[in-house]
Amino acid sequence: QVQLVESGGGLVQAGDSLRLSCAISGRTFSNDNMAWFRQAPGKDREFVARISWSAGSTYYADSMKGRLTISRDNTKNTMYLQMNSLKPEDTALYYCAAARRLYGMSLTSRNGYDYWGQGTQVIVSS
């Protein structure tokens, strides 16, 4: 059973940076696909970035690619999301997620992931 706990959110000003962390427990080799999503009030949960735990390959949402870096530390069992040049539009609950399967699902869709953390709040003021 995969458990995910996000941290690192907070209140920042536009242009600032944040590094979000996702502590992972119970992950197996099948749970190779990990991702970050975000959800603003009244909006759908939105894909942000994905990483293959084994290969380290990454994929980013086009609109945020230039400001994001997703990474993982296997020793610490932690996934990170470095966010730079934050904008008010980035205000949202940020979730980390893990898939149950290695293939056969969308890696950029909410429905492609089965395990979720509680989210960490990011608020970017103007």
Side-chain angles (χ1 to χ4, degrees):
Q1 184 76 255
V2 177
Q3 289 186 284
L4 308 170
V5 181
E6 303 94 338
S7 63
L11 175 63
V12 299
Q13 294 183 341
D16 287 352
S17 298
L18 277 176
R19 187 195 191 202
L20 307 183
S21 298
C22 175
I24 305 164
S25 63
R27 191 190 69 85
T28 71
F29 71 94
S30 296
N31 311 122
D32 190 63
N33 296 298
M34 306 285 295
W36 286 96
F37 285 75
R38 68 183 185 183
Q39 187 166 19
K43 299 182 65 177
D44 292 335
R45 195 163 298 185
E46 176 188 20
F47 171 78
V48 175
R50 171 262 181 184
I51 189 168
S52 167
W53 198 269
S54 60
S57 56
T58 59
Y59 182 79
Y60 300 92
D62 290 339
S63 61
M64 294 169 277
K65 185 175 181 178
R67 300 185 290 120
L68 302 173
T69 301
I70 186 172
S71 61
R72 86 284 198 240
D73 188 328
N74 189 55
T75 301
K76 297 181 179 180
N77 296 310
T78 303
M79 181 174 66
Y80 303 97
L81 182 68
Q82 177 69 43
M83 304 188 295
N84 302 317
S85 301
L86 286 166
K87 304 175 181 179
E89 307 93 90
D90 296 320
T91 296
L93 271 172
Y94 283 74
Y95 299 89
C96 59
R100 291 174 59 191
R101 297 164 290 172
L102 292 171
Y103 57 90
M105 68 290 188
S106 174
L107 298 181
T108 59
S109 172
R110 176 179 182 175
N111 294 331
Y113 297 86
D114 307 281
Y115 304 101
W116 298 86
Q118 294 280 61
T120 184
Q121 181 68 246
V122 173
I123 301 175
V124 185
S125 63
S126 301

